[in-house]
């Protein structure tokens, strides 16, 4: 049988961005996969060298436009650590609540898009229905549905309000997630498309830098929230499954939503206390990082995200690098797709929850 090379993407609706996969096929069996990235490259790391820290802060939400709060937190955290700034308990609770709401919104979009890639359109609308409520609250407190630019160095732009909206969302979500599961989890077509497909062993995952849900769905118990100072005082129960396949990665994200609801509720209960917002804000106009190297990391929806800043003591970083979960997930496709069939490629790639802005940074 003759071999054939084809392009999956970059203009393909199920690659969720301009991802090009060069596949070598024998019949419909995939012999090799070569990801070709860079179509969305915006120079986010190089741009930082020419901007002050406060000028760069609004841009970092775009590293992952579905989880912008996490990248804002990373940059703010790095500056705060460099200046030995301690966040007040209320600021910590606000950040935790918004981060977990953002994680839920990100997972909801993934569930809807993943199911639509596999041919089921209804779950897409159901998931977006709940996600819309979260985005409406983000818009209420920040003025923006996405790229909120709400965290600032030493605190937040303003105190949160209308907490009954958040309470309503968090009370609603568990029942809605049960509805999704009735439609999806044991659906025979969905099981055929995902069970036993894209098996990712713990050793392969670790060797390829895979983190987050994709790693925990392969049985590795690693969740940075357990040792994150921001989450100190909040109970976090990591979701760890042993299925290792595309179905397990789906199920892990379903359970992650429920766990994020639990964490957000803990933060919400604290915020209900009638306390003034105390902040240790850093003057952004004269902000410089002392000469040296700085590193921060966080458990983002697509795996561990981290930032490295090399400062020469100036108003701008001398060098800045981002580590993102999606970058490693794309590289994993070189191994995960080999030996599978073309009709499984979208299901396997989709189960990894890749977003291209995180790749082409």
């Amino acid at each position: 049988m003759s071999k054939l090379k084809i392009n999956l993407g970059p203009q393909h609706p199920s690659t969720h961005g301009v991802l090009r996969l060069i596949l070598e096929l024998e019949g419909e069996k995939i012999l090799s996969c070569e990801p070709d990235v860079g179509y969305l490259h915006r120079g986010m790391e190089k741009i930082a060298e020419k901007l002050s820290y406060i000028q760069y802060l609004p841009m970092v939400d775009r590293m992952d436009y579905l989880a912008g709060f996490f990248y804002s937190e990373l940059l703010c955290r790095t500056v705060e650590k460099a200046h030995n700034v301690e966040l007040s308990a209320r600021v910590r609770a606000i950040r935790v609540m918004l981060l977990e709401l953002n994680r839920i919104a990100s997972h909801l979009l993934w569930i809807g898009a993943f199911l639509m890639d596999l041919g089921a359109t209804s779950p897409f609308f159901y998931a977006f229905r709940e996600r819309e409520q979260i985005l409406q609250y983000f818009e209420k407190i920040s003025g923006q549905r996405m790229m909120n630019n709400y965290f600032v160095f030493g605190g937040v732009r303003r105190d949160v309000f209308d907490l009954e909206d958040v309470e309503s969302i968090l009370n609603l979500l568990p029942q809605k997630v049960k509805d999704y599961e009735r439609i999806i989890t044991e659906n025979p077509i969905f099981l055929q498309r995902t069970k036993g497909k894209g098996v990712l062993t713990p050793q392969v995952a670790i060797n390829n830098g895979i983190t987050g849900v994709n790693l925990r769905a392969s049985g590795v118990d690693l969740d940075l929230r357990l040792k994150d100072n921001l989450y100190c005082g909040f109970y976090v129960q990591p979701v760890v499954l042993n299925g290792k396949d595309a179905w397990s990665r789906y199920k892990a994200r379903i359970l992650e939503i429920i766990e994020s609801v639990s964490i957000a509720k803990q933060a919400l209960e604290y915020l209900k206390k009638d306390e003034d917002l105390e902040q240790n804000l850093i003057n952004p106009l004269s902000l410089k990082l002392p000469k040296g190297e700085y590193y921060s990391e966080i458990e983002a929806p697509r795996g561990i995200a981290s930032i490295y800043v090399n400062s020469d003591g100036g108003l701008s970083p001398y060098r800045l690098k981002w580590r993102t979960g999606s970058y490693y997930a794309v590289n994993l496709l070189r191994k995960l797709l080999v030996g599978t069939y073309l009709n499984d490629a979208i299901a396997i790639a989709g189960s990894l929850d890749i977003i291209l802005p995180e790749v082409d940074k």
Side-chain angles (χ1 to χ4, degrees), residues 31-257:
L31 301 180
S32 69
C33 170
E34 183 66 29
D36 184 15
V37 302
Y39 291 88
L40 193 64
H41 183 58
R42 298 156 296 158
M44 288 285 284
E45 295 173 333
K46 194 67 177 175
I47 288 172
E49 299 172 15
K50 300 297 182 183
L51 299 178
S52 67
Y53 292 95
I54 191 61
Q55 288 174 323
Y56 190 54
L57 182 59
M59 296 187 64
V60 300
D61 293 45
R62 292 156 175 78
M63 286 294 299
D64 178 356
Y65 53 78
L66 301 180
F69 277 113
F70 290 86
Y71 287 91
S72 290
E73 167 64 22
L74 273 178
L75 184 58
C76 289
R77 181 178 296 188
T78 304
V79 170
E80 289 154 5
K81 284 167 63 177
H83 286 269
N84 297 313
V85 170
E86 289 288 334
L87 299 179
S88 69
R90 187 168 183 85
V91 169
R92 285 178 49 240
I94 290 172
R95 288 192 180 185
V96 167
M97 184 183 78
L98 295 178
L99 286 170
E100 293 307 314
L101 284 173
N102 201 184
R103 192 188 308 274
I104 293 167
S106 175
H107 287 338
L108 286 173
L109 185 142
W110 172 82
I111 288 170
F114 183 51
L115 267 293
M116 190 164 65
D117 292 345
L118 300 184
T121 55
S122 295
F124 179 85
F125 294 104
Y126 300 151
F128 265 60
R129 177 185 59 197
E130 277 67 72
R131 177 175 175 267
E132 179 66 20
Q133 295 186 44
I134 297 175
L135 265 55
Q136 285 178 356
Y137 185 72
F138 289 168
E139 183 178 16
K140 181 179 286 190
I141 62 169
S142 71
Q144 299 288 340
R145 289 166 56 82
M146 300 165 69
M147 282 73 80
N148 306 96
N149 191 27
Y150 185 75
F151 298 162
V152 294
F153 305 131
V156 293
R157 293 206 176 273
R158 62 189 64 84
D159 202 353
V160 289
F161 52 88
D162 288 354
L163 292 173
E164 61 274 8
D165 291 359
V166 178
E167 189 167 27
S168 174
I169 294 167
L170 296 178
N171 289 336
L172 177 72
L173 276 167
Q175 182 56 51
K176 294 301 181 183
V177 169
K178 288 180 181 178
D179 291 344
Y180 305 158
E181 290 221 75
R182 289 192 192 98
I183 301 169
I184 304 166
T185 305
E186 298 300 329
N187 183 295
I189 298 175
F190 182 69
L191 290 172
Q192 284 187 337
R193 296 295 305 274
T194 57
K195 272 286 186 181
K197 304 296 174 65
V199 173
L200 176 61
T201 65
Q203 196 60 51
V204 170
I206 292 169
N207 290 345
N208 286 271
I210 302 302
T211 54
V213 178
N214 294 328
L215 181 63
R216 292 192 292 275
S218 291
V220 181
D221 189 354
L222 176 64
D223 192 324
L224 284 191
R225 288 175 291 184
L226 291 175
K227 63 175 185 177
D228 192 327
N229 288 335
L230 185 68
Y231 284 82
C232 182
F234 296 94
Y235 177 74
V236 179
Q237 179 61 52
V239 174
V240 182
L241 302 178
N242 289 306
K244 306 178 183 65
D245 56 9
W247 186 90
S248 293
R249 293 189 280 275
Y250 150 79
K251 182 66 176 181
R253 287 188 179 89
I254 286 284
L255 297 174
E256 280 270 327
I257 291 175

